[in-house]
Amino acid sequence: MADIMTIGLTGLGAAQASLNTVSHNIANVNTPDYSRQTVLQSAALPQELGNGFFGSGTQVQTVARQYSQFLQNQVFAAQTASSQLSTFSTQTDQVDSLLADANSGLSAALQDFFNQFQNLSGSASSVPVRQSLLDSAGSLTDRFHSMSENIASLRSQVNQQLTASVSNINTIAKQVANLNQQISDLAGGNNAVPNDLLDQRDKLVQDLNKEIKVSVFQQTDGTYNLYIGTGQSLVVGSNAEQLQAIPYANDAADLGVAYQTNGTPVLLSESSLQGGNLGGLFNFRSQVLDPAAKSLGNLAIEVARQFNDQNQLGVDLNGRPGANLFTSVDPLVQAAATNTGTATLGVHVPDKSSYPTSTFTLSYDGTSYKLTDTANTDPATNSTTVAFNTTVTAGAGSYPVAGGTTLGTLNGVTLMAPAGGLADATAAAAMINTAAVPGVTASATSGRLVLSSTNGQSITLTDAGGNLASIGLVAGKTASSPTTVTLDGQTLTLSLNQAMKTGDSYTITPADPMTAASTINLTMTDPAQVAAASPIAATPAANNIGSGTITSGTVTSGLPLNPNLTQPVTLTFINATQYTVSGAGIPSTATGPYTYTPEATIPSAGAGWDNGWSVSISGQPAAGDTFTVGPSNNNTVDNRNALSLAAIANNKTMGGGTATIADSYAQLVSLVGNQAHQADLSNTAQTNLLQQATQAQQSFSGVNLDEEAANLLRYQQAYQASSKVIQLAQTLFNGILAIAGQ
Amino acid sequence: MRISTSTIYDSSITGIQDQMQNLFTVQQQLSSGLRINTPKDDPVGAAQVVEINQQLAQNDQFNTNATQAGNILKLQEASLNSVVTDLQDLKQTTVQAADGALTNSDRAALAANVQEKLNDIMNLANSTDGYGGYLFGGYKGNQPPYAQSANGVVYQGDYGQRLAQISTGRQIPVTDVGADVFDNIKNAAGNFTVATGSATHPTNSGSGTISVGSVANAADPNIATPLTVQFANRTVVNGSSATYPTSGALSFTINGKTVSSAGPLADANAAATLINNTAGTGVTASVVNGNLQLVSASGAPITLAESASGNLSALGLAAGTTSPSLVYDVVDANTGQAVKDAGGNAMTNLTYTAGATITADGKSFAISGTPAAGDTFSVRPVTQQSLFATLSQFAALLNAPVTTANQAAYNTSLQNIQNNLDNAIDHLSTQLAINGSRQNTLNSTTSEDANNKTLYTAALSNVQSTDFVRASTQLSQYQVGLQAAEKSFMTVQGLSLFNYITSF
């Protein structure tokens, strides 16, 4: 009965194999990514004994793992998305708490700073109030610094994590490549597969997905090829590529991920590297950290610009024109290295304009000036011509001027009255035009000489023996008037002290918002330098007989300041309803008379003169009454500019004129808060998805101890039964032997 | 569905952690009292918190500003009230001074009293505001607005009015310019100032100067009319008196042009009409004080010749050539019309005599030196007089001895001072009323500020504070949840088939 014995033995072996496998399952109940294994059994080939096929027991086909590539891929996908969101959320939370903290946030410092100007307007001459203002401004810049340091440290944390993540990816990729090698070696040829190695490799791929999204392609030899980004191979068979974290060429502060191509590292685009920690870090940097840094920088620029400009429009406690409160944020002007001229280009951003973001160039080709926006590549819209005009309007002079009189020089050309003398301004204009001074043309308007030039050329006059005054001119140099240009929605005020040479150019670079918050500094140290007062004063003449009163005057000039701002101008009433205007900066054509309207702004729109201030007169002035607007003098409790400084808090200058500085900060808080909130929600959702995918995968592949306990019993019984079969075979054999022995 | 053993543990742990997270969040809300602990808890709310805090801080600051403005206005009110009290005392003094029985020494005693009040008022006008400035000095914070000088008490502040920001876009004046408060007071008596040049011709080229002048007739109805004296080179022939009607027809030549009458001329006006109706003479004839006057406005010489002897003299004229000379007109600066002298004659083409007194519209002055043709001089009435000038005049008046000769002038002056004091009290009362209305405005904005503060605080609380009832309920709810999760885990993890397999 050898057959019974053999059949029993096959059953015994199969039961033992199953018991082994069940034990293996129980042992690995807590092994991550372990797939439950089962022994696949089948009936052994039957024997034909003439009357039929008789079974010959069982045979163990293989040990299979309960594994679904589909479910596993779902886990990979869920894992990489979950890691990305989790990293993004964790990082964003740091910026979120940075803005929330009353001590590290900007809100309180801004409020205190703004309020100091209100206090200043109440006690303009008080040095303690001014000192406290400067202290508060210092605290504000400290806030900006500490916030930008925090942001910078988050940026370097991102870099550190990127480096760690890349090194992790490289390690895992190598391990996967090794496993690929082992798996193809071990599996070689036969159907059996090293299940535990496959599980280990899946575990590694899942770990890899925690760092970056990886596409898996299983090859026929059982190896995995792994690809990242837009198809860059990370692992092919037993070869693993190595990634590198290196800084960007144009942004040394930020690291990117580079892939070796022909031995040279090539940076991969961040948008192609999604998923995992890397994707989360990249998203955090581009969607939260950079916008927050930029927003903070814009706030710093706006604070510096508004308060610097307004302070410069006033005069300080010592009667001097106001200086910058903070580091200047005027765009940086750099002359091209090839420039041959020595012109100085002044650039200012007008008060109510948005701060520019593009880099511009101003060039002169010999016939016109051109401003180009280098950020705009469309030649149809990226440049505009700029006019720099110079005008000198002469006084009345004392005509006639005797023939042969040497008057002086105009831009180096000597002016001499012709033989017949100069009867009037028209004759003087003709004389200058005949002298052919390059670039300067002369004309006569209302009996006065007018000199004008274009293209930024300045007009320089020298006097000869006091004769220049006879044609109403004064020795000195007049530069072209500042001109305001708008290009691509960005506005600049440009001024040249002299003409540029042909072919010269200047680069105009606005302050960089990414660094502005760390570079803003309080430059004012002397509390007396805070310009609380206005540079102008309006005064009625002592012997006015009418009841007219004049307002203190408001500075309307932006920067650069109107050169005639503090030149005395006299408003004279020639009768009860009309007044004339005289003084420096008033063209001879614009002296009036103007009709008097009580409380109307003077100068009225289109009056033809503007010295950078406005006043209004009310009441009933009488003929002969005069009002003078001139420089203010020692007005220590003048708080006009302090009120203007305080009003900046409510000026909507940001976001294209829709938001105050505080609004803009609130927008930053809300932006980051929203990102963090969204990240939280997405992270929770994705964690649930991962959990579900893992449960589905575990439901299929995981070990259940109860099930294994039952199997243990089942295979134990099968083992015992097979033993009984062998025992039976022995008993039968012994029976036969006993018969034989009788 | 198969459940793997690790799933049982993993999901139990996840469940417990979720519950703990919820519990922690509610606990944090309860312990901090804040619903928004970081902006992500409520991004929109967090932005609102920033903005409301900004509004609150600004509101508090406006309240501070208003309080400060109120303090200054109260100081100003107190100063002005004291000035008014002083002025009322001084009015009593004018009544005493009018007493005819007073001796010169009695008046000197009163003068000392006036001087004392003047000093007192000057001190009040120099009051400080407690914030580094003067109440009435405008923007000048470094010197008192009023100082004693050779010309009496003068204002040395400026014309700036300080404002305080009491709400967004609303500013209120907190100080007044001393010149407006104490100097800009209507003057009862005529007074005027003079100047070379005028509004239309500001600079003279001649050497003429104008004297300070005096009031010739304070009662002149046109005492307040501003005058301009204009110089010109014209040829003027002033006729002497003549007897009208003339006897028979007359004939003579002016600049060679024959002027002849058909018959006797009834009066000087008829003679002037005759001359003006004769074309080509180059002169304009008019009648001044009943006498004929011939003027060549261009300044060309005027040559008169007799056609028949005695014809010229019959009109008060004489044969001969008259050269141009410097003459002047006195005109109303507002209208440009010539003013009339006491005799009702237009003050035009008057012969200039250096240093001679010119009297027009109740004002006397003199021009000396050599004015050039085209030069102008202004004579402008002073309609306002400083309170300090009035008081100085009062003291001076009381110090000067009164005699029978100047008794009438004394009484007139005293009356003027009394009127000026009345005007000053009126003026200061108006200032007090303005001050009062500013304080009213401040009071209303202060209560607005208080209301706003309540609203902002409530809004802030709505946005960021924890709803304790809700949070406490949630706390209990999550507590129950956590206990349930823990208990169920204990139950599930205790179940294992191995526990029931006893025999192997």
Side-chain angles (χ1 to χ4, degrees), chain B residues 186-402:
Chain B
K186 200 167 181 298
N187 183 16
N191 198 354
F192 59 93
T193 64
V194 294
T196 55
S198 64
T200 47
H201 180 85
T203 314
N204 284 352
S205 51
S207 65
T209 56
I210 182 164
S211 71
V212 173
S214 60
V215 178
N217 176 15
D220 191 295
N222 294 324
I223 187 79
T225 306
L227 304 177
T228 304
V229 182
Q230 301 171 331
F231 279 84
N233 263 325
R234 296 187 200 124
T235 315
V236 180
V237 176
N238 284 314
S240 51
S241 63
T243 312
Y244 293 101
T246 56
S247 52
L250 296 174
S251 181
F252 54 92
T253 63
I254 302 176
N255 288 344
K257 190 80 188 172
T258 305
V259 180
S260 51
S261 71
L265 294 167
D267 55 18
N269 285 332
T273 308
L274 172 71
I275 295 168
N276 286 340
N277 284 344
T278 309
T281 58
V283 302
T284 309
S286 57
V287 180
V288 176
N289 286 335
N291 298 335
L292 210 48
Q293 184 184 55
L294 304 181
V295 176
S296 164
S298 66
I302 300 175
T303 305
L304 298 175
E306 304 265 22
S307 296
S309 176
N311 281 2
L312 275 174
S313 52
L315 295 172
L317 299 172
T321 299
T322 312
S323 299
S325 63
L326 194 63
V327 297
Y328 64 90
D329 305 334
V330 181
V331 302
D332 180 332
N334 282 331
T335 62
Q337 298 294 314
V339 302
K340 299 281 196 326
D341 63 14
N345 297 299
M347 296 188 70
T348 53
N349 300 314
L350 302 173
T351 305
Y352 171 64
T353 312
T357 298
I358 302 168
T359 302
D361 282 350
K363 300 175 275 272
S364 290
F365 49 91
I367 294 171
S368 44
T370 317
D375 282 359
T376 56
F377 296 88
S378 302
V379 178
R380 296 153 48 75
V382 177
T383 52
Q384 317 293 332
Q385 178 165 302
S386 161
L387 173 59
F388 299 106
T390 302
L391 295 184
S392 298
Q393 285 170 4
F394 191 13
L397 182 73
L398 291 174
N399 275 327
V402 177

Side-chain angles (χ1 to χ4, degrees), chain A residues 504-522:
Chain A
D504 282 5
S505 69
Y506 290 86
T507 308
I508 302 163
T509 318
D512 180 7
M514 296 302 274
T515 58
S518 61
T519 54
I520 184 175
N521 273 313
L522 181 68

Side-chain angles (χ1 to χ4, degrees), chain A residues 691, chain B residues 6-19 489:
Chain A
Q691 216 175 356
Chain B
S6 61
T7 304
I8 294 171
Y9 282 89
D10 287 349
S11 56
S12 296
I13 291 166
T14 312
I16 290 170
Q17 278 184 339
D18 282 354
Q19 298 287 352
F489 174 66

Side-chain angles (χ1 to χ4, degrees), chain A residues 24-32 34 698 703-705, chain B residues 5-6:
Chain A
H24 185 57
N25 283 344
I26 291 171
N28 283 299
V29 68
N30 287 325
T31 305
Y34 174 78
Q698 281 289 305
V703 176
N704 181 303
L705 285 179
Chain B
T5 304
S6 61

Side-chain angles (χ1 to χ4, degrees), chain A residues 113-121 306-307 310 351-352 639-653 659-662, chain B residues 54 58 62 65 165 167-171:
Chain A
F113 178 64
F114 291 153
N115 282 349
Q116 291 298 331
F117 286 98
Q118 297 278 1
N119 289 335
L120 177 70
S121 75
Q306 295 287 337
F307 285 93
Q310 191 62 49
D351 187 31
K352 299 288 182 276
N639 64 353
R640 282 174 289 172
N641 207 47
L643 287 169
S644 298
L645 283 162
I648 292 175
N650 291 315
N651 280 354
K652 294 194 173 193
T653 53
T660 64
I661 290 171
Chain B
Q54 174 79 18
Q58 205 172 44
F62 286 145
N65 292 357
Q165 192 86 38
S167 68
T168 319
R170 187 148 178 214
Q171 297 177 339

Side-chain angles (χ1 to χ4, degrees), chain A residues 93 96 118-119 122 543 545 623 625 633-637 639 650 677 691 698-699 702-707, chain B residues 2-6 14 38-40 58 61 65 68 139-142 158 162-163 334 380-381 383 497:
Chain A
D93 280 356
D96 187 48
Q118 297 278 1
N119 289 335
N543 59 356
I545 58 172
D625 283 2
N633 177 25
N634 224 350
N635 297 339
T636 54
V637 290
N639 64 353
N650 291 315
H677 187 63
Q691 216 175 356
Q698 281 289 305
S699 169
V703 176
N704 181 303
L705 285 179
D706 286 351
E707 185 185 19
Chain B
R2 279 187 81 247
I3 303 292
S4 80
T5 304
S6 61
T14 312
T38 69
K40 79 168 177 186
Q58 205 172 44
Q61 183 65 44
N65 292 357
Q68 180 176 342
Y139 294 148
K140 294 246 180 189
N142 60 337
D158 70 4
R162 267 188 287 155
L163 306 174
N334 282 331
R380 296 153 48 75
T383 52
L497 188 52

Side-chain angles (χ1 to χ4, degrees), chain A residues 686-733:
Chain A
Q686 193 60 44
T687 308
N688 285 339
L689 279 181
L690 175 62
Q691 216 175 356
Q692 281 166 20
T694 311
Q695 273 177 12
Q697 191 256 4
Q698 281 289 305
S699 169
F700 189 73
S701 304
V703 176
N704 181 303
L705 285 179
D706 286 351
E707 185 185 19
E708 300 303 327
N711 281 339
L712 207 55
L713 289 178
R714 181 199 304 182
Y715 296 123
Q716 190 190 17
Q717 282 169 9
Y719 187 91
Q720 285 169 344
S722 290
S723 307
K724 278 286 175 198
V725 169
I726 292 169
Q727 193 189 15
L728 173 71
Q730 191 194 19
T731 313
L732 288 178
F733 189 64

